[in-house]
């Protein structure tokens, strides 16, 4: 997309950017700290983020938030076996804390303020990149603020969970793609923002690694404002190559993880592959609500495993305790699960419908928002900005009947603007949301609401951008 920016408009554009950034940051800070800080409590996986920040922490799921994590005196720095870019933000927060005397301590207040700055900058980049009048862009900014500040999402920014970095990365990625299509120096700034956002989003969790090929295609389709011919393709290849190189290096920088069978893993997420497949089998397929023996026969598992129907990996009485489990361990495989779902479309639709309800529910009820000193009961949650999650919660019982029309609406808008940068962004967000939805729905049978949060956040961003008017006179993004 080519957009002219006359010199007389530069001051107005700069003023708009400063206003949006300042207002967004101020609102986020007040929303975060007043009357007391809010975050998301540890679901039991937070030790991975802390380990990446050099803090060894072993603990079970917690009903309250810890506003500070301090390593034990003399403790050996943790060696991470699982990469999450939230660890990078946490490590930066630890380094900032050292400047004010918090030696080695992770303050979630600092982490939340840092994330608020990044989120405000990302919203500014999106608004600056939109090819619309000031009033329209401010309307979009208001919609973005409602999504980002919503109680279902905002707490992740000050948490030792991986979703916060995914949200920030996706915001930056959208802003970067839109800025890349602008003229002059903004185009080059957009490429830099695209790179940072891509690295954060792709490496946020193992589940988000599949964003990489989708993002690479989006980068190829967005034409840098001032570049043509070979330079255009070279710049896209440079950004994609840089994201890919950093991702490869980052994924290889962690220590090999030990899988349940005692072997050490070679690829990201392999240490939890058996756990995820096990949960998918015994929570999605052999769930105790259908013909368990027939399902077990389809999966090549013994009929005696029917006693474990509905029992996940961490259940007090899982199939892993059965003497026959080692004999059938090879049947706990992704191929086996994929084959089952492919040959049982009715059951697959049931699982997807339940996952759609989980996604639109938006917020798991077991992640608390407050530290214990705040005086609230365990798992208590804040509802300072519940607008978006309240609306999605209203339609959550409809499952796929609510989610599919949303997908189709976004897809139609992307098609109508297919030759503009905004159309590419909408298609990117749609593809990310659908793939994250399917991965979380069929690949893991636990924490469905939490694992659907990236998919929900992405489709909500797309809906906000769809609120901007069609611009049929935009120049094509691709030749």
């Amino acid at each position: 997309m080519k957009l002219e920016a006359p010199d007389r408009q530069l001051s107005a554009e700069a003023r708009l950017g400063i206003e949006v950034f300042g207002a967004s940051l101020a609102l986020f800070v007040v929303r975060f700290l007043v009357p007391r800080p809010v975050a998301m409590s540890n679901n039991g996986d937070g030790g991975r983020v802390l380990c990446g920040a050099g803090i060894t922490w072993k603990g079970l799921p917690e009903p309250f938030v810890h506003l500070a994590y301090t390593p034990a005196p003399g403790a050996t720095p943790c060696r991470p076996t699982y990469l999450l870019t939230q660890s990078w933000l946490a490590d930066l927060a630890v380094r900032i804390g050292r400047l004010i005397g918090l030696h080695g301590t992770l303050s979630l207040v600092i982490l939340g303020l840092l994330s608020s700055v990044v989120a405000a900058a990302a919203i500014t980049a999106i608004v600056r990149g939109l090819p619309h009048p000031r009033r329209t862009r401010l309307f979009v900014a208001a919609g973005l603020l409602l999504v980002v500040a919503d109680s279902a999402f905002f707490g992740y920014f000050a948490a030792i969970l991986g979703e916060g970095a995914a949200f920030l990365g996706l915001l930056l990625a959208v802003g970067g793609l839109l800025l890349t299509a602008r003229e002059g120096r903004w185009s080059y700034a957009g490429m830099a923002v695209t790179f940072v956002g891509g690295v954060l989003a792709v490496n946020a969790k193992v589940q988000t690694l599949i964003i990489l090929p989708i993002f690479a295609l989006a980068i190829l389709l967005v034409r840098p404002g001032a570049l043509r011919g070979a330079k255009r393709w070279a710049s896209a290849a440079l950004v994609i190559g840089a994201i890919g190189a950093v991702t490869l290096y980052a994924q290889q920088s962690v220590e090999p993880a030990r899988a349940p069978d005692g072997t050490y893993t070679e690829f990201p997420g392999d240490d939890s592959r058996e756990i995820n497949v096990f949960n998918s089998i015994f929570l999605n397929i052999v769930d105790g609500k259908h013909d368990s023996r027939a399902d077990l026969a389809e999966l090549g598992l013994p009929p005696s495993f029917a006693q474990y129907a509905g029992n996940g990996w961490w259940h007090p009485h899982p199939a892993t305790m059965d003497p026959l489990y080692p004999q059938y361990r090879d049947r706990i495989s992704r191929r086996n699960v994929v084959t089952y779902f492919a040959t049982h479309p009715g059951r697959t639709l049931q699982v997807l419908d339940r996952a759609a309800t989980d996604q639109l529910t938006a917020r798991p009820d077991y992640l608390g928002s407050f530290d214990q000193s705040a005086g609230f009961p365990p798992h208590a949650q804040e509802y300072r900005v519940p607008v978006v999650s309240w609306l999605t919660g209203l339609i959550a019982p409809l499952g796929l009947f609510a989610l599919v029309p949303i997908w189709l609406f976004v897809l139609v808008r992307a098609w109508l603007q297919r030759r503009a940068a905004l159309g590419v962004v909408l298609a990117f967000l749609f593809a990310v949301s659908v793939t994250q939805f399917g991965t979380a729905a069929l690949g893991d049978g636990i924490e469905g609401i939490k694992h659907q949060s990236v998919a929900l956040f992405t489709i909500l961003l797309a809906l906000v951008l769809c609120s901007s008017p069609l611009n049929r006179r935009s120049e094509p993004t691709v030749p």
Side-chain angles (χ1 to χ4, degrees):
M1 178 185 295
K2 180 180 179 181
L3 296 169
E4 298 294 338
D7 292 340
R8 60 185 173 84
Q9 293 182 354
L10 289 179
S11 59
E13 288 291 320
R15 191 162 55 248
L16 175 63
I18 293 172
E19 291 171 355
V20 170
F21 176 77
S24 299
L25 181 57
L27 289 172
F28 286 154
V29 170
V30 171
R31 189 254 181 275
F32 174 41
L33 297 177
V34 179
R36 56 181 57 83
V38 291
M40 288 276 190
S41 61
N42 179 16
N43 71 335
D45 293 336
R48 291 172 169 176
V49 170
L50 292 172
C51 185
I55 299 174
T56 301
W57 185 275
K58 296 181 180 180
L60 298 174
E62 300 167 315
F64 295 103
V65 170
H66 284 275
L67 290 179
Y69 289 89
T70 303
T76 303
C78 189
R79 302 280 294 180
T81 60
Y82 190 99
L83 179 69
L84 302 102
T85 44
Q86 186 77 353
S87 292
W88 300 354
L89 298 175
D91 182 65
L92 180 56
V94 170
R95 295 174 187 270
I96 295 173
R98 288 196 181 102
L99 300 178
I100 58 175
L102 300 177
H103 300 292
T105 296
L106 170 62
S107 166
L108 294 191
V109 173
I110 295 177
L111 178 60
L113 291 174
L114 176 63
S115 298
S116 295
V117 171
V118 177
I123 290 175
T124 303
I126 295 173
V127 171
R128 181 62 184 81
L130 286 172
H132 299 305
R134 174 187 174 89
R135 181 178 297 179
T136 301
R137 287 194 276 180
L138 289 178
F139 179 78
V140 172
L144 292 172
L145 287 171
L146 278 177
V147 171
V148 176
D150 192 90
S151 298
F153 305 120
F154 192 81
Y156 285 110
F157 293 141
I160 52 173
L161 303 172
E163 284 77 8
F167 300 157
L168 293 176
L170 287 165
L171 285 167
L172 287 169
V174 169
L177 290 173
L178 291 172
L179 281 175
T180 298
R182 302 305 295 262
E183 290 287 343
R185 65 183 185 277
W186 288 110
S187 181
Y188 296 102
M191 296 179 200
V193 175
T194 299
F195 165 74
V196 175
V199 170
L200 276 177
V202 169
N203 296 282
K205 304 171 65 177
V206 169
Q207 176 184 333
T208 58
L209 285 171
I210 60 175
I211 293 176
L212 182 56
I214 304 171
F215 195 44
L217 181 59
I219 293 171
L220 287 172
L221 290 177
V222 172
R223 185 176 68 192
L227 300 179
R228 301 292 183 271
K231 290 184 178 180
R232 174 261 177 98
W233 299 111
S235 65
L238 178 63
V239 174
I240 295 170
I243 295 172
V246 172
T247 296
L248 180 62
Y249 174 79
Q251 294 294 335
Q252 292 181 338
S253 67
V254 296
E255 298 290 321
R258 188 172 182 176
D261 62 0
T263 62
Y264 284 88
T265 61
E266 181 179 0
F267 299 104
D270 277 357
D271 58 315
S272 57
R273 181 181 59 212
E274 180 183 348
I275 298 173
N276 292 337
V277 173
F278 182 95
N279 285 329
S280 186
I281 289 176
F282 284 96
L283 296 176
N284 284 337
I285 301 174
V286 187
D287 56 3
K289 301 175 183 178
H290 301 84
D291 189 341
S292 297
R293 291 182 178 272
D295 289 334
L296 288 167
E298 290 274 358
L299 294 165
L301 295 172
S304 61
F305 277 16
Q307 63 182 303
Y308 307 112
N311 295 358
W313 183 271
W314 288 283
H315 189 275
H317 186 58
T320 53
M321 301 175 63
D322 194 289
L324 292 177
Y325 184 77
Q327 180 181 342
Y328 291 93
R329 191 172 218 144
D330 63 325
R331 303 299 299 169
I332 310 296
S333 67
R334 289 175 181 167
R335 175 177 293 184
N336 206 10
V337 171
V338 170
T339 300
Y340 179 90
F341 283 131
T343 55
H344 296 76
R347 292 291 302 280
T348 304
L349 280 175
Q350 290 178 10
V351 173
L352 293 177
D353 185 65
R354 185 173 71 243
T357 296
D358 286 342
Q359 181 179 139
L360 295 170
T361 300
R363 191 179 187 188
D365 58 7
Y366 53 84
L367 295 180
S369 302
F370 303 101
D371 65 306
Q372 191 167 3
S373 65
F376 292 98
H379 304 287
Q381 296 182 321
E382 56 89 6
Y383 294 91
R384 295 176 185 175
V385 187
V387 179
V388 176
S389 55
W390 175 74
L391 290 173
T392 61
L394 290 178
I395 60 175
L398 298 176
L400 287 175
F401 288 103
L403 189 57
V404 171
I406 295 174
W407 287 345
L408 292 176
F409 173 72
V410 173
L411 191 59
V412 168
R413 285 300 299 265
W415 175 257
L416 292 175
Q417 294 189 308
R418 61 190 178 278
R419 294 181 66 79
L422 183 56
V424 174
V425 167
L426 290 176
F428 163 70
L429 292 173
F430 167 79
V432 170
S433 185
V434 172
T435 53
Q436 291 295 304
F437 167 76
T439 301
L442 302 178
D444 193 349
I446 61 171
E447 293 195 282
I449 299 173
K450 177 178 179 291
H451 290 169
Q452 289 289 345
S453 60
V454 174
L456 178 61
F457 184 82
T458 308
I459 203 65
L460 290 175
L461 289 185
L463 284 176
V464 172
L465 294 176
C466 284
S467 67
S468 60
L470 292 172
N471 186 3
R472 297 185 181 278
R473 291 192 287 178
S474 300
E475 293 195 13
T477 298
V478 294

